[in-house]
Amino acid sequence: MSAVRKPAPAPAPRPHGGSGEVRIIGGRWKRTRLPVPALPGLRPTPDRVRETLFNWLGQDLTGWRCLDAFAGTGALGLEAASRGAAPVLLCEQDARLVEALRAVRTRLQAEGVDIRRMDGIAALREAAPGSLHLVLLDPPFDAGLFEPALRVAARAVPPEGFIYLEAPAAWQEPALAAHGLALHRHLRAGAVHAHLLKPGTTTFRSAA
């Protein structure tokens, strides 16, 4: 049996310069500004990628249970909550980012958003099997977290659920199949590869 090929390494995008902001693109909090602190390695998902992701998923996520495992600025998880997802759990280990996320939650009066200072992979391990409609995975590119994150995320979503994966290289079908996942959609935006994954086997469609 041939070995499963993993994605070839690719240059990571430059870290965000910090002291800026990103905006929620759609939903009830459209155009809300989210602060981007000047922290090493903080890399908010580009606007184009977030817009495409939520075009793939649909604009109405009412009732979806969501976990953003590496929340950072909260851009991904808050986009989901803005479109009706609830509850939405944002996991982040940096105390400064957690403080900023809680300030945003208060400003938005986002009762359906829970923010915890914790390891997102640990949170996924604690999730009941098949309990999450959407898992958002945008880990630090150089931390070796892709394999363990995919392993636990695959267990946490039901057959109709989705996993979003952001990475510096495209993940191929054999590597995903090793985790019981299949590529549903893919987009490359500069040095970022955005993947929408589903459990089992599905028909891959490229981004329009």
Side-chain angles (χ1 to χ4, degrees):
M1 180 181 294
S2 61
V4 173
R5 297 183 61 185
K6 296 182 181 180
R14 293 189 303 173
H16 194 281
S19 301
E21 62 185 24
V22 294
R23 296 190 182 195
I24 296 176
I25 293 169
R28 58 178 170 157
W29 300 323
K30 185 176 181 180
R31 299 189 183 90
T32 295
R33 298 178 180 182
L34 305 176
V36 180
L39 297 176
L42 186 60
R43 178 186 40 77
T45 299
D47 288 0
R48 176 195 169 194
V49 174
R50 281 184 286 125
E51 182 177 17
T52 300
L53 171 61
F54 287 94
N55 285 338
W56 290 342
L57 293 170
Q59 299 302 316
D60 184 1
L61 306 186
T62 300
W64 287 36
R65 296 181 298 275
C66 175
L67 191 151
D68 186 347
F70 307 93
T73 63
L76 285 169
L78 290 171
E79 285 281 3
S82 183
R83 291 162 168 80
V88 175
L89 174 58
L90 305 183
C91 299
E92 175 54 53
Q93 296 193 78
D94 188 286
R96 292 162 293 183
L97 291 172
V98 169
E99 182 179 358
L101 288 169
R102 288 174 175 163
V104 170
R105 179 182 61 186
T106 299
R107 174 160 54 99
L108 296 175
Q109 299 181 339
E111 296 84 359
V113 175
D114 186 13
I115 298 163
R116 299 182 193 173
R117 186 182 178 189
M118 70 178 300
D119 176 9
I121 293 177
L124 285 167
R125 287 197 188 101
E126 294 174 4
S131 62
L132 299 170
H133 297 96
L134 175 63
V135 172
L136 300 163
L137 301 177
D138 182 14
F141 283 178
D142 59 355
L145 297 174
F146 292 107
E147 295 278 357
L150 283 171
R151 189 178 306 120
V152 291
R155 173 183 169 275
V157 296
E160 67 275 15
F162 293 96
I163 297 170
Y164 169 73
L165 174 67
E166 193 166 313
W171 277 67
Q172 304 301 320
E173 294 277 8
L176 293 170
H179 298 289
L181 297 169
L183 184 62
H184 184 58
R185 295 289 188 95
H186 172 263
L187 167 72
R188 180 175 183 178
V192 170
H193 287 261
H195 311 73
L196 189 61
L197 312 175
K198 287 183 67 67
T201 303
T202 190
T203 302
F204 166 68
R205 289 178 289 175
S206 62

